[in-house]
Structures are given as C-alpha cells and as structure tokens.
Amino acid sequence: MAFKPPSPRALLPRSLLRQSPTTRAYSAPGEGAIPPTKQKYVPTSGTYPQGFVVASAHVGVKASNTRFDDLALVASDRPCAAAAVFTRNKFQAAPVTVSRDMLVRRVGGGIRGVVVNSGCANAVTGKGGVEDAIRMSEEADRCFDEQYDSDGKGSRTLVMSTGVIGQRLPIRKIVHKIPSAYSNLGSTHSHWLRTARAICTTDTFPKLLSRQFTLPSSPNTTYSLVGMTKGAGMIHPNMATLLGILCTDAPIAPPALSSLLKSAVDKSFNSISIDGDTSTNDTVAILANGAAGGSAITGPESLGYKEMQHTLTTFSEDLAKLVVRDGEGATKFVTIKVINAQRHEDAKRVAASIARSPLVKTALYGKDANWGRILCATGYAEGVESVVPTETSVSFIPTDGSPELKLLVNGEPEKVDEERAAEILEAEDLEILVKLSNTPGEEAVYWTCDFSHEYVTINGDYRT
C-alpha cells in the first residue's frame, strides 16, 4: 500500500487546530456591513436632548472612501457650556490645540457645536495643520450666521479629526461640504446614528448611547444625555485614545461641567485599553445647553451635582465599554478587577499593567488559562507598593453566575481544571479578579480585550 503523507493540517499542534481562525467571529472593518455579533450594540431608537441637531456628509477625506460619510456636525440651537479632556501625548494634533485654546479663551461658554472629520488625523502637520483646523471651525461658525470673532474670542465650534497621522487634510473639500452638512441637520434617531457612523475609522459599528434622567434640583424635569464615540485601535488611557462627543439639555455651568467630565473620564475612558497605544488626537467633549430648563448646577455644592456626577460617570462607562467591544480584531471583552490595594492608584496601575500585556491578551485569544502571565504583569506594574506575593490571588469570574475558578490563592498555585477553564474562556465576556493582599483596601476596574491575528492584519494595512 502506497504511503500517503499527512495533510499540512494534520501536522499542526492540537492547540492550533482547536483555535482555528475560521471559527472566530472577530471584529474587522468591512464594506459598511456591521458584523452580526455587533448588531446588538447598535440602538434602534433613542431619547435625545432638546435643542441639539446633528448631520453628516461624504467628503472622501481618505481616497479609498468613495461612499461613506466622513464629516460630522453636532450643533445646538443656542450657545452652550462646554468642557473637554484631551490627549497628553506630546505630539498633539492641530484640532486638539485649536479646541483646547478656544475653550480657554471662552472660559467654556458660548460654544455652538462640534465639527469632525474622519480619515485624516491632521496630526504632526505643522502650522498648516493648525490653519486647517481653524478653517473648519470658522466655516461651521459661518453656518450659524454668526460673524467670526464677533466678540474678540475667536471661534465657537470645537473641531476634531481622526485617521492617518502626518498627512494634511483636503481642506477645500471639507470646507465645501460643511454647509451641506449644516443644511441636513436634524434630531431624529436616524440623524444621530448616521452622524455616529461618520466619525468612525476602523470601527465596525457606530457607538451611540442615549439616556434620560432626573435631578433633585429640578425633580419635575426629565433631562436627556446622548453620547457618541469612535475608537477601535490605538486605545490606552492617557487621556484615552478616541473621540467622544456628549450632549445634554441639563443646565450646567462651565466650571461644574469641567469637573464633572474629568471625574467621569477617569473612571471610564481612562479605564480602557485595547492595544496599549495612545494617540495624538484624543478628545472627549461635553456640551450642555440647558434647553430643558430647571435650576442650574454651578459647582460641587449645588443640589443635583452628585446625582449628575453619578449619571455622567455610569453613562461614560457604558460608552467606553463599546469602544473595547469593537477593539480591532477582538474576540473577547475582559473586565479586570484589582482589589485590596493600599491606594486606588496602585490598584489602577496593576489593572492597567495586566490590560496592556501582549502575553496576557494573546493567552486570552488562545483560550489559555495562563495565569502566570497575569501574575507577571501584576508584579512589574511600576510604582506599586501594595502587592504582597504571599497573599496575592488570581481568579476567573464566569459571566454565567457560576462559581469563580481559582488559579492562584495566597501565592500558591491551584490545581486548575483545564476543561472548566476552557469553558469559561469560550465566552465572549470574562472577568479577571486579582487580590493584591488579604487586607481590605482600595480597588479599581479596567476593561480590555484580547489580541488576535486580525489585529496585525488590520494595522498592517491601515494606511492603504
């Protein structure tokens, strides 16, 4: 009988056979079609704040984009209070510097809207890039029938850009289309969803949330909050690598709005990581126009401030989680909870260390309960004094409510049920619990995803 050589597949290790890429429903940018596994995160309706309208338009900022809208406009029918948190990257993009300077000049007041382009970051583009960002802002101002710099404080429109770094914007094309976007402004769910889609780059679905709430300062008034964000790669908090726009019809003064946003961002957009990379364009902004009426929140001492802080923080957390769920090539959404730290900062640094570890993330992709990688990332977290090796414990917390799977208890390895571990790691959602000591203390939560082959593919082809 003639010898028949084994097939190439038969020569592969069992682990690779078990983890065949053909079985994975990962996120990857397509031709506008939302992956079936992501459809559940796209809202079919919403409750939107009074006085805000939005629109999008197709510019073709990136040459390969021949049909998708890539210009977005968010506007209020009256001047707003505004606040924003920006990237700490030393190479800050032109729209970051222009928007930040404008908020300083206007002390967070008198803002009319936000104009955004995707496809080009307008970052590391020199003086010309700054001029382009200003032109975008000015053109949006003209649409509001307001004379530019009528009060000597410059533009009233925040500007954001996202996409490829180091390339100039096709500014004439963009400026030409801003009036078109303005003429299509509307307040329907469809308008909001199309606008959220227009700010995307490698995102596979538009990230849009809305929520209603009440405040004790005006108990008979129902307020609305809406947020849209984009981001799928270059995500690690420093502020956070993404764009985000939030709007509310609650009356909030600029100083209070700024402190509320900073607090919310720290526990949301500053607590996510996809690939450990931070960007040049990070901006999360909030506009409050007070259109729903009621008593204004002017500071921490105001009635309703704490409730607004809770509402904005939990809302921002939910919005930030959508970014992680759309991580480039991601197949898992991972919650990392670190407890019993001497300081909150220690807990957060450990969680961040685990979240950005390539070895942890690839093990999760491979459905490998390699807790040693988690422990290693815990041990090399910089500036942390809370780790007690003989008291450190690591567990997987299943999302189905079943008992935790203990991997390490008080520095001693457990005999891991590999079959049970594989079952837990098969799920899309997973929680990793790390206890730094046996002394009750501070805790922190981070959200991250796994690393897949597709992440490399997506980013290897990014500029093309």
Side-chain angles (χ1 to χ4, degrees):
M1 183 174 181
F3 171 73
K4 183 179 181 180
S7 67
R9 179 175 173 81
L11 295 174
L12 289 173
R14 289 184 179 179
S15 60
L16 289 183
L17 289 174
R18 186 176 67 249
Q19 308 303 337
S20 171
T22 59
T23 66
R24 296 183 179 277
Y26 65 88
S27 299
E31 291 299 313
I34 299 172
T37 56
K38 306 299 178 183
Q39 285 281 359
K40 59 188 174 184
Y41 302 119
V42 181
T44 56
S45 62
T47 52
Y48 301 106
Q50 300 177 43
F52 284 101
V53 286
V54 295
S56 63
H58 175 257
V59 176
V61 173
K62 198 171 183 178
S64 59
N65 176 19
T66 59
R67 58 195 180 100
F68 298 117
D69 285 0
D70 50 3
L71 179 69
L73 185 62
V74 177
S76 171
D77 64 1
R78 67 201 70 190
C80 300
V85 181
F86 301 100
T87 181
R88 296 174 185 171
N89 193 300
K90 291 181 174 60
F91 292 96
Q92 297 185 348
V96 169
T97 59
V98 169
S99 294
R100 183 185 56 219
D101 292 348
M102 185 259 283
L103 286 174
V104 171
R105 285 196 310 273
R106 292 196 165 277
V107 199
I111 309 303
R112 287 302 301 271
V114 185
V115 61
V116 190
N117 78 270
S118 62
C120 178
N122 191 13
V124 198
T125 46
K127 294 180 180 179
V130 172
E131 293 170 357
D132 291 344
I134 292 174
R135 282 192 65 186
M136 286 178 62
S137 186
E138 289 180 358
E139 185 60 37
D141 277 6
R142 292 189 182 96
C143 292
F144 298 129
D145 294 325
E146 294 180 359
Q147 183 180 354
Y148 171 68
D149 202 19
S150 59
D151 59 2
K153 296 180 181 179
S155 174
R156 298 175 182 269
T157 306
L158 295 165
V159 59
M160 302 180 187
S161 298
T162 182
V164 178
I165 295 171
Q167 296 180 3
R168 288 286 296 274
L169 292 171
I171 192 61
R172 291 184 180 179
K173 292 170 64 176
I174 292 175
V175 169
H176 176 71
K177 282 299 182 76
I178 289 176
S180 298
Y182 180 84
S183 66
N184 291 321
L185 286 169
S187 58
T188 69
H189 173 69
S190 179
H191 279 91
W192 281 98
L193 197 60
R194 287 199 304 268
T195 304
R197 176 64 183 85
I199 68 175
C200 293
T201 50
T202 60
D203 308 63
T204 66
F205 67 92
K207 299 164 187 64
L208 176 70
L209 288 179
S210 61
R211 189 165 298 170
Q212 291 187 316
F213 61 97
T214 58
L215 296 171
S217 49
S218 303
N220 297 321
T221 302
T222 298
Y223 296 108
S224 296
L225 175 63
V226 63
M228 66 178 76
T229 186
K230 65 81 51 185
M234 289 189 80
I235 305 290
H236 188 77
N238 187 18
M239 188 272 314
T241 311
L242 43 73
L243 299 183
I245 304 167
L246 291 81
C247 303
T248 182
D249 50 16
I252 310 173
L257 195 62
S258 180
S259 63
L260 287 166
L261 180 64
K262 289 177 181 177
S263 176
V265 163
D266 186 55
K267 296 179 180 179
S268 57
F269 296 109
N270 266 352
S271 294
I272 61 175
S273 183
I274 287 177
D275 49 19
D277 247 320
T278 62
S279 176
T280 54
N281 289 60
D282 314 347
T283 304
V284 171
I286 183 169
L287 307 179
N289 65 7
S295 301
I297 295 175
T298 58
E301 72 288 345
S302 297
L303 182 64
Y305 181 92
K306 290 183 179 180
E307 289 76 11
M308 187 68 225
Q309 187 174 54
H310 175 74
T311 296
L312 185 59
T313 298
T314 55
F315 182 82
S316 297
E317 286 175 352
D318 290 342
L319 199 56
K321 289 176 185 178
L322 291 179
V323 175
V324 177
R325 290 194 179 279
D326 200 22
E328 290 172 342
T331 69
K332 295 190 182 304
F333 176 86
V334 185
T335 299
I336 300 172
K337 187 174 183 179
V338 178
I339 65 174
N340 292 2
Q342 295 174 13
R343 302 179 303 160
H344 171 73
E345 185 177 1
D346 282 1
K348 193 164 186 177
R349 285 180 176 177
V350 170
S353 181
I354 297 169
R356 71 188 306 172
S357 166
L359 291 179
V360 170
K361 295 159 82 68
T362 50
L364 293 172
Y365 175 70
K367 303 174 186 177
D368 180 7
N370 194 337
W371 56 265
R373 295 180 177 182
I374 299 170
L375 195 67
C376 185
T378 298
Y380 65 58
E382 296 183 1
V384 175
E385 302 297 334
S386 297
V387 180
V388 181
T390 57
E391 298 179 6
T392 299
S393 300
V394 178
S395 298
F396 285 161
I397 308 297
T399 55
D400 60 4
S402 58
E404 68 179 303
L405 178 64
K406 297 180 180 180
L407 307 171
L408 180 79
V409 177
N410 291 327
E412 296 288 340
E414 293 286 288
K415 185 177 180 179
V416 179
D417 182 342
E418 295 292 345
E419 186 174 338
R420 174 66 178 136
E423 290 176 356
I424 294 173
L425 290 169
E426 192 69 38
E428 179 182 347
D429 286 27
L430 167 70
E431 179 179 327
I432 297 173
L433 176 65
V434 178
K435 184 178 68 173
L436 300 184
S437 73
N438 292 327
T439 303
E442 299 293 323
E443 63 181 55
V445 175
Y446 239 71
W447 297 283
T448 190
C449 58
D450 56 347
F451 256 168
S452 69
H453 305 292
E454 288 73 31
Y455 176 85
V456 178
T457 299
I458 293 166
N459 284 281
D461 296 338
Y462 183 70
R463 291 211 304 167
T464 55

